Amino acid sequence: MTLELIEAARLLGFDPATGWPGTFAHDGLAKLQSWHKGVERKDWNLEAANWRKLMELALASGAMAHTTKTERIQAPQVRRIVNPGLGSHDWNERGFAGAQVESRSFLGGTLVTGYTQPARYNDVTRHHITAPAYAAWLTAQSIEPSPHITAWFKAQGLACPALAVTPAAPVARTKAKPRTWWDVSSAYIVEVMQAGQYATCKELYRALEEKAGPNAPFEKGTGSNRGSLFVREIGKPLSVKTMQNRWQELQELARK
């Protein structure tokens, strides 16, 4: 049992005692391709999301051989504060009947203060890719496999693809274009939208505020930025209005 196998099992949640799987879903390959020693989790999540989008384009265009399988998975449960409370239009329309209720004592009685959404399940189509198919795609793109992917190839009896080395053309020195909030956080926002149910941009913005922290590209704004999300990498706040301007585009990406 190699160290790469143990690490891959930890990252993807499979049992290393069973050995390397014969196939991986595209999102699993994206995580293994982007992982490397010393990477911070927030940077890894962002890079893995970019890899996943790239592979989705390759799968949709037929550039990468694969098989598909529909799996039923549980959606993340959502915790909400009761407003205006049980029996309200909000409660019934969102389908929270049967939810796990939180309460506290109030004026000699019981006051419901919050609830957690009952378990819901979604049908998800996963694309399964073999080692030869992924190796062929990497070779066609002149991309070198990561150490974990290399170990998987070897376990499947596959030699690592040899990349043609060509002299690098002179590169003109150009000033790099500053990254925007969209570059830094759009992939993460789409992931949050796909995991939950948000009818408006304001609902999504509130959810992002709740998730702000070390595992997200955002922090909660303080001082003059209070009430806004603060995009850590670019050092700028992100307002609801700014995100609203790209709301339609975010919805289209989340439906893919």
Side-chain angles (χ1 to χ4, degrees):
M1 187 180 298
T2 65
L3 179 60
E4 288 81 8
L5 172 58
I6 295 173
E7 287 183 333
R10 177 178 61 84
L11 294 173
L12 302 186
F14 65 86
D15 185 0
T18 62
W20 286 98
T23 65
F24 278 113
H26 73 287
D27 53 348
L29 285 178
K31 291 179 179 180
L32 294 183
Q33 183 67 39
S34 56
W35 174 263
H36 55 85
K37 291 289 186 182
V39 65
E40 293 188 16
R41 189 170 187 86
K42 61 182 179 62
D43 296 327
W44 175 48
N45 287 339
L46 179 61
E47 190 173 347
N50 292 334
W51 263 100
R52 186 173 61 254
K53 292 299 180 184
L54 176 63
M55 293 180 67
E56 286 173 356
L57 292 174
L59 293 168
S61 67
M64 187 186 303
H66 65 284
T67 58
T68 58
K69 180 181 178 181
T70 300
E71 301 175 6
R72 193 165 183 80
I73 63 172
Q74 182 176 342
Q77 291 179 281
V78 179
R79 179 184 178 277
R80 294 184 183 277
I81 302 301
V82 172
N83 184 18
L86 288 167
S88 69
H89 179 270
D90 175 75
W91 176 280
N92 295 326
E93 286 298 311
R94 293 183 180 276
F96 284 89
Q100 181 181 343
V101 177
E102 302 171 16
S103 60
R104 63 180 176 85
S105 298
F106 183 73
L107 298 179
T110 301
L111 176 67
V112 175
T113 57
Y115 54 92
T116 300
Q117 181 187 42
R120 293 186 179 184
Y121 298 86
N122 298 321
D123 290 331
V124 176
T125 299
R126 296 197 181 277
H127 306 282
H128 292 274
I129 304 156
T130 63
Y134 190 55
W137 182 76
L138 287 177
T139 302
Q141 307 304 317
S142 297
I143 298 173
E144 186 174 344
S146 70
H148 293 90
I149 296 296
T150 298
W152 178 48
F153 286 167
K154 290 180 179 179
Q156 301 300 311
L158 186 68
C160 292
L163 303 181
V165 179
T166 56
V171 178
R173 292 182 176 272
T174 57
K175 188 176 180 180
K177 183 179 179 181
R179 285 164 64 80
T180 66
W181 73 269
W182 183 264
D183 300 324
V184 172
S185 61
S186 60
Y188 173 81
I189 294 173
V190 169
E191 279 190 343
V192 173
M193 293 177 69
Q194 291 173 335
Q197 296 178 344
Y198 306 101
T200 67
C201 184
K202 287 184 179 180
E203 285 187 13
L204 172 61
Y205 194 87
R206 287 196 296 269
L208 293 174
E209 285 183 313
E210 292 179 3
K211 296 175 183 291
N215 295 326
F218 306 113
E219 296 176 358
K220 289 185 178 180
T222 59
S224 61
N225 297 318
R226 184 177 297 277
S228 296
L229 288 170
F230 190 79
V231 187
R232 188 183 304 107
E233 182 174 331
I234 62 175
K236 294 181 179 180
L238 172 63
S239 66
V240 179
K241 183 177 180 181
T242 299
M243 200 165 73
Q244 181 71 54
N245 293 336
R246 304 292 291 269
W247 175 239
Q248 184 175 354
E249 190 172 351
L250 286 169
Q251 287 180 304
E252 291 174 356
L253 290 173
R255 285 194 289 267
K256 292 184 179 179

